[in-house]
Amino acid sequence: LFASLSLFSLSSPLANAAGQQENPYGLIEPGELRVASLGDAKPYTFTDASGNFTGFDVEFFTDVAHRLGINKVVFIGQDFAGILPSVANGRYDAGVAAIGITPAREKTVDFSSGYLAGYLTVLTRKDTGVTDVNSLAKHRLAVVQGTLQENYAMQHFTQTDLVRFPDNNAAISALNNGTVDADFLDYEAAKDYAARFNLVHAADIPSFDAPAGVAIAKGKPAFKAALDKAIQASMQDGTWKKLYQKWFPGSPMPKQYLPHSS
Ligand SMILES: NC(=O)CC[C@H](NC[C@@]1(O)OC[C@@H](O)[C@@H](O)[C@@H]1O)C(=O)O
């Protein structure tokens, strides 16, 4: 009896090995993924009428999680600026919200391989006289804090008054109530808000050099490798294409994410 007990005592290498196997990706809760996301970036990621998270990023990442053998995926809404710091300090296992991969961001977090490349859009009302990036000068432009749009506007729209908001909802209501003349956000979200509030695109700026990736804490090579492998598999078997066509109908499809015949 004693021999058998010692074999499975906590200190035995077998038990430790088993312990390691239960949580190979260093998750907060083994077998569950806690994911920081946004509630107002439809159709990338948003909460539907019953408060459930859905959208391209949500369904794509849930598929990736299933490929990792993880079936419990909990999405939690955050202000965008808080997502990367919270992922870096271990409050979440991942950040998934059309988060562009950039060297600056890679100083605080690691990213999976990219899964979505598109445009940054200047969205405006029909009455503002903002018809392209050159007519932004002397106007007020909303940006969500911490986004690539904020960075881009600070570098390129130097004659424009930048007004910073915590999230898309606040920025869009400022645009609708006239507090700002335009809002700088992601293309597909801009398209959705334009349809809902009779707004127009004044400019669509490519952001292909910063494709969206899954943000994870630094120092988790096994987790990153597993994510990259699952993302690749999702693209190769056509899941990525199916979800893209579902959530971004009519949008051009970046070829690098489609099944490769090779
Ligand atoms: N959800 C957000 O508000 C994120 C805003 C912004 N997204 C940029 C981006 O990742 O959006 C998805 C794709 O179009 C990428 O090419 C693009 O860089 C950012 O990463 O800062």
Side-chain angles (χ1 to χ4, degrees):
L1 177 62
F2 179 70
S4 62
L5 276 180
S6 67
L7 186 63
F8 286 98
S9 70
L10 278 185
S11 63
S12 87
L14 194 59
N16 292 343
Q20 279 300 324
Q21 285 318 315
E22 268 158 34
N23 195 9
Y25 309 130
L27 304 179
I28 297 162
E29 189 64 41
E32 172 185 321
L33 273 164
R34 279 173 58 78
V35 187
S37 194
L38 302 174
D40 59 2
K42 185 177 181 185
Y44 301 99
T45 166
F46 64 105
T47 43
D48 62 20
S50 38
N52 298 317
F53 278 88
T54 185
F56 175 82
D57 288 56
V58 170
E59 293 196 337
F60 177 69
F61 184 73
T62 303
D63 171 74
V64 165
H66 291 166
R67 293 171 193 265
L68 263 60
I70 296 161
N71 297 315
K72 188 159 186 238
V73 187
V74 179
F75 289 89
I76 297 118
Q78 268 267 182
D79 287 356
F80 186 79
I83 293 181
L84 296 186
S86 306
V87 168
N89 71 22
R91 258 190 62 202
Y92 300 97
D93 296 307
V96 175
I99 308 170
I101 302 167
T102 67
R105 288 173 170 171
E106 286 180 316
K107 289 197 177 78
T108 52
V109 293
D110 282 343
F111 283 95
S112 71
S113 36
Y115 62 81
L116 189 64
Y119 297 81
L120 314 181
T121 296
V122 176
L123 186 65
T124 189
R125 295 187 313 273
K126 289 173 177 157
D127 63 346
T128 60
V130 174
T131 52
D132 56 23
V133 289
N134 304 315
S135 49
L136 272 172
K138 301 281 178 284
H139 283 93
R140 289 162 57 81
L141 176 68
V143 291
V144 171
Q145 279 161 306
T147 60
L148 297 186
Q149 283 85 348
E150 180 186 28
N151 231 357
Y152 187 97
M154 285 165 69
Q155 284 173 15
H156 296 86
F157 305 150
T158 50
Q159 306 303 313
T160 304
D161 299 334
L162 290 194
V163 187
R164 290 167 172 80
F165 292 88
D167 57 35
N168 285 314
N169 282 331
I172 284 290
S173 48
L175 179 57
N176 286 334
N177 70 28
T179 310
V180 296
D181 305 306
D183 180 14
F184 197 17
L185 70 168
D186 284 345
Y187 175 85
E188 300 292 352
K191 199 166 147 186
D192 182 76
Y193 281 122
R196 266 193 275 173
F197 300 115
N198 191 25
L199 300 165
V200 290
H201 289 217
D204 296 322
I205 299 159
S207 187
F208 304 138
D209 57 339
V214 177
I216 63 174
K218 285 192 151 320
K220 296 187 149 184
F223 190 23
K224 173 173 162 53
L227 286 170
D228 289 349
K229 189 162 169 271
I231 287 169
Q232 184 57 36
S234 176
M235 290 172 182
Q236 197 51 28
D237 74 7
T239 302
W240 181 92
K241 182 177 177 184
K242 181 171 63 69
L243 290 173
Y244 191 96
Q245 288 173 321
K246 170 180 177 183
W247 291 103
F248 310 128
S251 292
M253 234 179 289
K255 279 185 298 299
Q256 67 266 39
Y257 304 137
L258 296 174
H260 297 295
S261 46
S262 58

